[in-house]
Amino acid sequence: MFRSIKSHWHALKASRPGRRFQERYERHWESGAKPARVRLANLALAGLCLVVGVALMVLPGPAVLFFFIGASLLATESRALASGLDRLEVLLRSVWLRGRRWWRALPRGGKAAAGGLGLLVVGATLHFTYKFVFVR
């Protein structure tokens, strides 16, 4: 089982950005229609990953990882979702690269100010989350 997961991961990683989820969808369906139990298990596992991701949004843990795994599993069942994930990946990569260029161009004082602002935003988010969840 772990060998299969590892091979799927390597194939996804080797695919080019903007086509990787669609290629995974196509590889998944190349061998023909999957039995209903396989599709149901895939959907159940994807749903479980998404629920864990939602829970980890308020608990400490890697919520984004579980959202990625759940969405990737769902993308094997839906060509439209696979296409959407490919578009989202390209968009997020361009935002990441723009942000990285911006960060590298900042002087040391600008980086300190941006880091301080980031800490302030994280602190405020944690404070208001605490107030909303525990104090009513």
Side-chain angles (χ1 to χ4, degrees):
M1 180 175 107
F2 289 111
R3 232 179 272 145
S4 173
I5 292 171
K6 192 174 180 181
S7 71
H8 286 302
W9 169 251
H10 285 298
L12 189 68
K13 194 174 154 185
S15 298
R16 66 185 170 90
R19 284 284 307 154
R20 48 177 110 235
F21 293 101
Q22 292 175 61
E23 289 173 3
R24 177 168 160 62
Y25 173 86
E26 290 160 5
R27 278 192 308 271
H28 182 74
W29 289 99
E30 272 177 357
S31 60
K34 303 295 179 196
R37 63 182 162 70
V38 171
R39 294 185 73 194
L40 187 60
N42 198 14
L43 292 173
L45 187 58
L48 178 67
C49 286
L50 294 174
V51 167
V52 168
V54 168
L56 289 177
M57 286 176 66
V58 293
L59 299 171
V64 174
L65 177 65
F66 281 93
F67 284 132
F68 173 76
I69 292 170
S72 179
L73 287 169
L74 286 176
T76 60
E77 301 296 329
S78 166
R79 183 183 300 272
L81 183 59
S83 176
L85 283 175
D86 281 331
R87 285 193 305 272
L88 180 64
E89 179 192 13
V90 170
L91 173 72
L92 291 176
R93 279 177 177 270
S94 71
V95 168
W96 174 261
L97 291 174
R98 243 183 288 138
R100 195 166 71 177
R101 278 193 303 266
W102 173 80
W103 181 259
R104 288 181 176 168
L106 278 178
R108 187 173 295 201
K111 288 179 182 177
L117 181 63
L119 287 174
L120 184 67
V121 168
V122 168
T125 302
L126 290 173
H127 173 74
F128 287 113
T129 301
Y130 172 78
K131 288 277 196 181
F132 180 74
V133 172
F134 296 112
V135 180
R136 289 200 175 196

